[in-house]
Amino acid sequence: MTQKTHKVLKQAKSRALIDSDTYHDWYKQSVKNPEKFWGKHGKRIDWFKPYTKVKNTSFTGKVSIKWFEDGLTNVSYNCIDRHLKTRGDQTAIIWEGDNPYDDRKITYNELYDQVCRLANVLKSNGVRKGDRVTIYMPMIPEAAYAMLACTRIGAIHSIVFGGFSPDALAGRIVDCESTFVITADEGLRGGKKIPLKHNTDQAVAIAGRSDVVVKKVLVVQRTAGKVDWFDSRDIWYHEAVARAKPDCPPAKMKAEDPLFILYTSGSTGKPKGVLHTTGGYLVYVSMTHQYVFDYHDGDIYWCTADVGWVTGHSYIVYGPLANGATTLMFEGVPNYPSPSRFWDVIDKHQVNIFYTAPTAIRALMGAGDAHVTKTSRKSLRTLGSVGEPINPEAWEWYYNVVGEKKCPVVDTWWQTETGGIMITPLPGATDLKPGSATTPFFGIQPQLVDNDGDVLEGTAEGNLCITDSWPGQMRTVYGDHERFIQTYFSTYKGKYFTGDGCRRDADGYYWITGRVDDVINVSGHRMGTAEVESALVSHDAVSEAAVVGYPHDMKGQGIYCYVTLMEGATGGDELRKDLVRHVRNEIGPIASPDKIQFSPGLPKTRSGKIMRRILRKIAEDDFAALGDTSTLADPTVVTDLIDNRQNKK
Ligand code: 6R9
């Protein structure tokens, strides 16, 4: 495909906060003198005690990252209280339910009331500064209240995506020793109910076996479905909140006090608790939210992510609310009750800025243009994409059909670890190239290195690193700083290694090519192949498993599993179904295998390492170029794998 460039749109330029000259000027300042640049922009949030130190960071040795370290602030204060004087009656959250007739608007005044009450409920149930609170909730305003109530009293929240299984939830409760859980009776998505309370009951029981005793479970009534109840442990949210006092002073937090933990997958071991802290994170997400989306006062902003992922944390709740925005929170799915749902919601609430994932764009593109063109979408001004590389076809469709060539598409590259957007166009400043995340945000210094760590200059393709810290960066892996150093700073000494491959073109634009490690990205959901493998081998019939990603039209990547069975077990469609069921139970539906190949042997080196390169090629149905197989202990397994591949074109 020939590479196309879309020049900055006139209408975007005329209203933009940042034009091209300003971008280049600010960018230069931000990398030349980060202290000065961030010292200035750190003031975009309110501080109870102003900072005097701005940056104190090191990517070598013990790796220590501190921003604004002697300042005192509070996240809920910045997201709520400071707006009350000027915009108390403005809508803070528009909630759009799964059912299109179900919606609610919450003003900043109401948000204050709800968050303060809930903060008091937490306090009266013994939650203190530094305690971990697990949030396992559907996309309802109470999820945002819960996050903000934690930040109000200095408790650390750990949100677990509502699609995760009881086992996965239990693992995350145990890892951060969380004794307070907030959930709902049931979730509702696409007309289907998700038994959140039931899953929580099971997870609490499983956690108990590891000696982590959950003392209280606070339950929001969402569907009024039947749930089991444990009087000494369970509390109805609506009853407790109604009784609580409507004021709660915000705790004075140090900039480096922990704000939240969010578990994410890596290439090895169990998911890591990514820890973000208070001051730098809020400065970074509010600033990126404003400039990347060219957010203006009064705009209606909608990010379709789930609060269980980092995008929901940074760009549904913290960034927009810190900026006093009206943020839309959507409970449902893109194709319910019809594939027009997104565009209907945009018209209904007059959305100006819309931020979604390539997997949704591809699915809706597949449903046909008529579902889009029958809606108006006149209010739209900026479109965003996040979560995985967006293929140029989907990009063009988003730009031409959804945005009718009037809205810039900002393809934003970032990670749970980075806290906020890192490489991205700015609507009024950056010429767009479909499929490229374009250029770095202020203060971000990307670098490409080859496998030996040698720096690549100019036009090149390599491993993407970031050479210096930015305020939104994660600070540690919760409870395991050594793992933090090992995972991110040991591959290329003194640099943060992202795990992504990337190409830089002659214009200095960055093109993310996908993960170079054993992390796969299925519909924008990040997963370690090791996690799926360990779920598979925990099944009685399985002796060994190797999992790889392969290109999938809709999901971006699909999950391909090579499974070696125990003596006496026989593979077949029944067992395939059972294995899919098993993995869904162990991790959650997002980890459902797409292909399972029963393979008596796996390609291993003489030292026993599985050669994934070969398995990837076979899964891609591209085995003509398998490369060198001579180092295999038994080269004949490859023939069998090819003969029985599940992806024949
Ligand atoms: C925010 C988020 C991070 C991984 C990241 C990369 C992929 C995200 C992307 C993208 C290409 C983009 N990724 N955005 N790849 N273009 N615009 O998604 O965080 O869940 O931690 O995933 O997602 O591979 O390393 P997270």
Side-chain angles (χ1 to χ4, degrees):
M1 194 169 155
T2 51
Q3 188 187 299
K4 228 171 148 176
T5 301
H6 296 265
K7 289 277 174 207
V8 176
L9 289 165
K10 253 200 219 103
Q11 57 262 53
K13 206 188 283 186
S14 65
R15 66 192 309 283
L17 299 167
I18 307 276
D19 62 14
S20 171
D21 290 344
T22 315
Y23 166 72
H24 290 290
D25 185 34
W26 284 26
Y27 182 75
K28 251 183 245 141
Q29 294 174 29
S30 72
V31 297
K32 209 169 116 208
N33 193 342
E35 293 268 346
K36 189 165 164 215
F37 182 84
W38 291 111
K40 178 170 158 218
H41 290 284
K43 295 191 184 121
R44 59 179 297 118
I45 67 167
D46 288 1
W47 298 84
F48 300 133
K49 177 178 169 274
Y51 48 85
T52 61
K53 292 185 203 159
V54 176
K55 180 175 188 280
N56 179 6
T57 66
S58 160
F59 281 5
T60 55
K62 295 232 162 303
V63 182
S64 160
I65 296 155
K66 291 180 182 158
W67 285 89
F68 312 114
E69 61 187 294
D70 60 345
L72 294 177
T73 185
N74 180 283
V75 169
S76 91
Y77 178 88
N78 273 285
C79 290
I80 310 170
D81 306 42
R82 68 166 175 162
H83 306 312
L84 295 181
K85 246 197 223 140
T86 52
R87 52 177 100 241
D89 291 326
Q90 181 201 306
T91 301
I93 299 174
I94 300 175
W95 178 74
E96 169 78 11
D98 187 52
N99 178 331
Y101 297 103
D102 216 358
D103 57 23
R104 241 151 90 191
K105 286 184 177 164
I106 297 109
T107 65
Y108 274 95
N109 281 329
E110 287 163 345
L111 186 62
Y112 174 86
D113 179 80
Q114 291 293 327
V115 169
C116 285
R117 286 174 185 272
L118 181 52
N120 285 325
V121 170
L122 297 181
K123 271 197 201 163
S124 64
N125 281 287
V127 179
R128 300 283 173 260
K129 197 183 251 192
D131 289 353
R132 278 79 54 213
V133 172
T134 297
I135 300 177
Y136 182 62
M137 279 171 92
M139 287 289 287
I140 52 178
E142 288 79 0
Y145 305 162
M147 297 163 76
L148 291 162
C150 287
T151 74
R152 196 151 190 96
I153 64 170
I156 307 167
H157 61 69
S158 160
I159 307 191
V160 179
F161 173 55
F164 277 128
S165 68
D167 266 311
L169 173 60
R172 286 156 173 80
I173 290 174
V174 169
D175 186 80
C176 68
E177 297 174 272
S178 156
T179 62
F180 196 101
V181 179
I182 310 180
T183 188
D185 49 3
E186 294 174 310
L188 199 57
R189 288 185 86 227
K192 290 194 206 94
K193 290 179 174 168
I194 300 133
L196 296 175
K197 172 64 163 67
H198 177 71
N199 289 352
T200 303
D201 292 342
Q202 286 184 285
V204 169
I206 299 166
R209 288 181 224 141
S210 304
D211 287 334
V212 174
V213 179
V214 171
K215 294 191 197 118
K216 296 286 173 197
V217 177
L218 188 63
V219 187
V220 178
Q221 198 167 51
R222 168 65 189 101
T223 62
K226 211 176 132 7
V227 291
D228 291 335
W229 202 257
F230 303 89
D231 279 331
S232 61
R233 188 197 74 190
D234 298 344
I235 309 165
W236 279 116
Y237 182 105
H238 57 281
E239 292 178 4
V241 161
R243 281 196 303 267
K245 281 195 307 206
D247 286 297
C248 172
K252 293 196 167 66
M253 304 299 291
K254 294 193 195 113
E256 286 302 334
D257 279 337
L259 177 62
F260 66 81
I261 300 165
L262 182 56
Y263 287 87
T264 193
S265 300
S267 41
T268 53
K270 55 179 186 152
K272 296 181 282 278
V274 168
L275 185 90
H276 283 288
T277 58
T278 301
Y281 171 83
L282 196 64
V283 167
Y284 195 72
V285 296
S286 71
M287 182 155 170
T288 45
H289 172 260
Q290 182 178 8
Y291 293 126
V292 171
F293 301 106
D294 196 47
Y295 168 77
H296 291 247
D297 233 14
D299 283 347
I300 309 288
Y301 164 88
W302 180 18
C303 164
T304 69
D306 190 284
V307 289
W309 309 117
V310 73
T311 308
H313 286 63
S314 301
Y315 298 110
I316 294 177
V317 179
Y318 292 126
L321 294 179
N323 290 339
T326 297
T327 181
L328 193 149
M329 190 175 190
F330 177 44
E331 184 181 30
V333 295
N335 56 0
Y336 177 86
S338 87
S340 287
R341 186 69 192 274
F342 275 179
W343 329 121
D344 287 339
V345 173
I346 287 170
D347 286 349
K348 176 178 175 187
H349 298 293
Q350 291 295 293
V351 171
N352 307 113
I353 302 166
F354 178 68
Y355 190 31
T356 195
T359 186
I361 299 169
R362 285 192 297 268
L364 295 172
M365 178 168 85
D369 293 6
H371 293 290
V372 188
T373 51
K374 73 177 205 207
T375 62
S376 155
R377 287 156 289 111
K378 269 227 165 60
S379 57
L380 278 180
R381 222 186 43 236
T382 308
L383 298 171
S385 171
V386 60
E388 51 177 316
I390 178 165
N391 46 312
E393 296 76 10
W395 194 104
E396 292 285 358
W397 183 82
Y398 198 29
Y399 183 80
N400 292 318
V401 181
V402 176
E404 297 182 5
K405 302 183 167 62
K406 289 182 213 134
C407 309
V409 171
V410 290
D411 174 3
T412 63
W413 174 84
W414 59 294
Q415 311 177 294
T416 305
E417 293 88 338
T418 70
I421 294 166
M422 301 283 281
I423 302 183
T424 178
L426 302 183
T430 319
D431 292 342
L432 305 172
K433 299 188 191 185
S436 170
T438 76
T439 48
F441 190 74
F442 306 124
I444 305 306
Q445 303 185 56
Q447 191 176 65
L448 302 182
V449 300
D450 65 16
N451 289 341
D452 300 324
D454 289 329
V455 177
L456 306 169
E457 307 286 355
T459 313
E461 181 162 347
N463 304 307
L464 178 63
C465 296
I466 312 289
T467 59
D468 198 2
S469 184
W470 62 98
Q473 183 172 24
M474 76 182 280
R475 302 303 198 248
T476 192
V477 170
Y478 185 76
D480 197 349
H481 195 67
E482 194 47 44
R483 192 171 175 202
F484 176 59
I485 301 171
Q486 276 308 317
T487 310
Y488 303 105
F489 301 93
S490 69
T491 320
Y492 305 109
K493 278 252 164 327
K495 303 174 212 273
Y496 168 77
F497 175 43
T498 64
D500 278 313
C502 183
R503 180 164 69 79
R504 186 173 45 224
D505 71 15
D507 296 324
Y509 274 42
Y510 290 86
W511 301 72
I512 308 295
T513 54
R515 302 288 303 198
V516 293
D517 53 12
D518 290 321
V519 170
I520 50 180
N521 192 327
V522 181
S523 297
H525 299 315
R526 184 172 153 177
M527 225 167 299
T529 51
E531 283 170 75
V532 185
E533 286 163 8
S534 77
L536 284 166
V537 295
S538 72
H539 187 285
D540 286 344
V542 176
S543 83
E544 197 166 30
V547 171
V548 296
Y550 70 97
H552 187 288
D553 284 348
M554 285 296 157
K555 301 181 180 182
Q557 278 188 301
I559 304 179
Y560 195 114
C561 311
Y562 297 89
V563 171
T564 307
L565 296 177
M566 295 285 192
E567 281 290 325
T570 30
D573 281 344
E574 270 316 302
L575 183 56
R576 276 202 183 87
K577 271 189 214 146
D578 198 47
L579 290 175
V580 171
R581 204 162 29 230
H582 182 71
V583 173
R584 290 170 70 98
N585 283 339
E586 291 284 310
I587 305 175
I590 56 169
S592 301
D594 293 283
K595 308 273 178 190
I596 296 175
Q597 175 169 355
F598 296 112
S599 30
L602 293 170
K604 290 187 187 164
T605 61
R606 287 192 194 96
S607 64
K609 272 208 185 75
I610 296 176
M611 302 228 346
R612 286 161 188 286
R613 174 176 58 80
I614 293 175
L615 295 175
R616 267 187 224 118
K617 285 283 173 206
I618 296 173
E620 288 166 14
D621 200 22
D622 174 23
F623 47 87
L626 278 186
D628 185 13
T629 55
S630 62
T631 53
L632 287 177
D634 176 9
T636 61
V637 298
V638 175
T639 325
D640 171 77
L641 286 168
I642 292 175
D643 289 346
N644 294 302
R645 69 191 186 279
Q646 301 290 301
N647 252 0
K648 275 187 204 119
K649 277 181 191 140

